[in-house]
Amino acid sequence: MKSPENTSSTLYLSGRKQKFIIIAGLIILLFCACIYALNAGSYHLSFDRILTIVHQAVMNPDLLKEIPFEKTVVIDFRIPRALLAIFTGISLAIAGCVMQALLRNPLVSPFTLGLSSAASFGAALAIVFGAFLMPFIPKEFQNGVIIFSAFLLGWFSILFIYAISRMKGSSSATLILAGVVIGYIFTAGVMILKYLTNDEKLREITLWLMGGMWGANWGAIIIVAPITLLCFLYLESKAWDLNTLSAGDDVAKNLGVNVNRLRLTGLFVATLAASACLAFTGIIGFIGLMGPHIGRMLIGNDNRYLIPCSALLGALILLISDTVARTIMDPVEIPVGVIMYVIGGIFFMFLILRGKHRMIT
C-alpha cells in the first residue's frame, strides 16, 4: 500500500509531465503554423523551396541574386512578418498573464491599464505633429518617430498609473481604476487629434489604430526579439513569487516577498514587453486576455508553466490570425486587429455562456 507522501509525489510528477506535454504540443503547433504562414500568400512556395532559399541566405547570399523575387517574398517579407507576429503574441500574452497575477484580476491586460490608449495617443501625436516638431528628421525616418513616440507614451502611462496608486496605497483596485481613467483621457486625446488633422493623416492614424504587421522588417525584429526574450526570462524567474502573491499580499510578505517591489518591477517589465511590440504593430487587442485564459484551461494557475504556455498560445493565435488577415481576401489585406476583435468577441461570449451554464447546472 502506497503512503500518502508517495501518492502525492506520483500525482505531482504526473501533473508536471502532462504540463510539459501540453507545452511541447504548443511548440509543435506553432512550428506548423509558421510553416503554413511562410507558404501562404499570392505567390505559393513549397516548403522545400523555402528551406532552400533560407539555406542560401545563410550559407551563400550571393546565390539569392539569381532569384530576386523569391528572395524578397521569403527573406524580406514573410519571415520578418511571421517573427514579428510571434514575438508580439509572446509579449502581449506574458504581459497580460503577469499583470493578472500581480493584480489578482483575470480581466487585467495591457489594454485595461491604459497602455494601448497611451501608445495610440503617442503615435497619433507623432503622425500629426511629428514633421512640425522635428523638421530636422528626414521624411523617410518619420516612421521611427511614430514608433518611439508610441513606446514612450506607453511606458509613461504605467509610470503615471503607479504614481497615482502610490498616493492611495498600491492596491490592485486602485491600479485598475487608475488605468481605466488614464485610458479614457488618452482616448480623448486621440479623438481630438483625429478631429483636427487632415484626411491623409486621419487615414494613417486610423490604420495604426486597427493594428497590423505592416512594420515587419529585420530592423524591427532586431529590436523586438531581445526585448521580448529578456522580459520573458525575467518574468519567468519571478514565477514562484507570483504564485505566492496569489495567496494575498500579507501571506506573500510573511514568506519574504517584497510585494511592492515585485508589483512595480513586474508591471514595468510587462509594460516594456508590450509597448515595444505595439510600437511597431499598432493596437492589437485580446491577446493579453485570451492567452492567459486559455492557458489556465489547459495547464492550471501555476505561473511556472502558465507564463510559457500563455506565451506560446499568444504567438500561435496572432500568427494564425495574421496569416488569415493577409490571405482571406487576397490580394487585399485586412488589419489583423480587426480579426482579433472578432476572435476575442467570440471567445469571451463563449466564456460568458460557459459561466452561465455552470451556474445553472
Side-chain angles (χ1 to χ4, degrees), residues 96-106 108 288-289 292-293 296:
C97 181
V98 170
M99 287 177 174
Q100 290 166 22
L102 289 170
L103 304 180
R104 299 198 301 278
N105 189 317
V108 170
L289 289 171
H293 273 79
R296 289 188 188 94

Side-chain angles (χ1 to χ4, degrees), residues 15-248:
R16 186 180 180 185
K17 181 180 179 182
Q18 185 178 7
K19 290 178 174 66
F20 279 121
I21 291 172
I22 291 172
I23 290 174
L26 289 173
I27 293 173
I28 294 171
L29 285 175
L30 181 59
F31 179 74
C32 294
C34 192
I35 292 173
Y36 178 74
L38 295 179
N39 278 285
S42 302
Y43 188 74
H44 178 74
L45 288 166
S46 67
F47 182 58
D48 291 341
R49 185 59 181 161
I50 291 172
L51 284 180
T52 300
I53 295 170
V54 173
H55 181 266
Q56 289 177 351
V58 174
M59 303 303 297
N60 195 349
D62 291 336
L63 292 177
L64 295 178
K65 296 178 181 178
E66 302 174 5
I67 48 169
F69 183 72
E70 291 184 347
K71 179 259 183 184
T72 300
V73 169
V74 176
I75 304 298
D76 298 336
F77 175 69
R78 290 186 185 172
I79 291 179
R81 183 165 183 144
L83 289 175
L84 184 61
I86 289 170
F87 286 123
T88 302
I90 290 172
S91 296
L92 295 177
I94 62 173
C97 181
V98 170
M99 287 177 174
Q100 290 166 22
L102 289 170
L103 304 180
R104 299 198 301 278
N105 189 317
L107 295 180
V108 170
S109 73
F111 306 91
T112 311
L113 293 183
L115 190 153
S116 64
S117 299
S120 301
F121 179 72
L125 201 65
I127 290 170
V128 176
F129 297 115
F132 174 74
L133 295 176
M134 289 174 279
F136 53 88
I137 296 179
K139 189 175 181 180
E140 56 268 22
F141 293 109
Q142 286 297 321
N143 191 47
V145 176
I146 297 171
I147 291 169
F148 178 74
S149 180
F151 173 79
L152 194 64
L153 266 292
W155 184 261
F156 170 77
S157 68
I158 206 70
L159 285 171
F160 192 52
I161 290 165
Y162 195 80
I164 292 174
S165 72
R166 291 290 292 176
M167 296 176 187
K168 295 290 183 179
S170 57
S171 67
S172 60
T174 306
L175 279 170
I176 295 168
L177 288 173
V180 172
V181 171
I182 295 301
Y184 282 133
I185 293 172
F186 280 119
T187 299
V190 173
M191 290 180 179
I192 292 171
L193 291 173
K194 290 171 72 174
Y195 181 77
L196 295 176
T197 193
N198 57 40
D199 290 343
E200 181 181 351
K201 291 180 179 179
L202 176 62
R203 175 178 171 79
E204 190 175 350
I205 293 172
T206 303
L207 284 174
W208 198 92
L209 293 175
M210 287 181 178
M213 299 297 152
W214 303 298
N217 53 56
W218 286 108
I221 301 303
I222 290 171
I223 295 172
V224 168
I227 292 175
T228 300
L229 294 174
L230 289 174
C231 290
F232 171 80
L233 291 174
Y234 176 81
L235 295 173
E236 178 65 18
S237 71
K238 298 297 179 182
W240 271 115
D241 291 344
L242 294 173
N243 287 342
T244 305
L245 192 62
S246 65

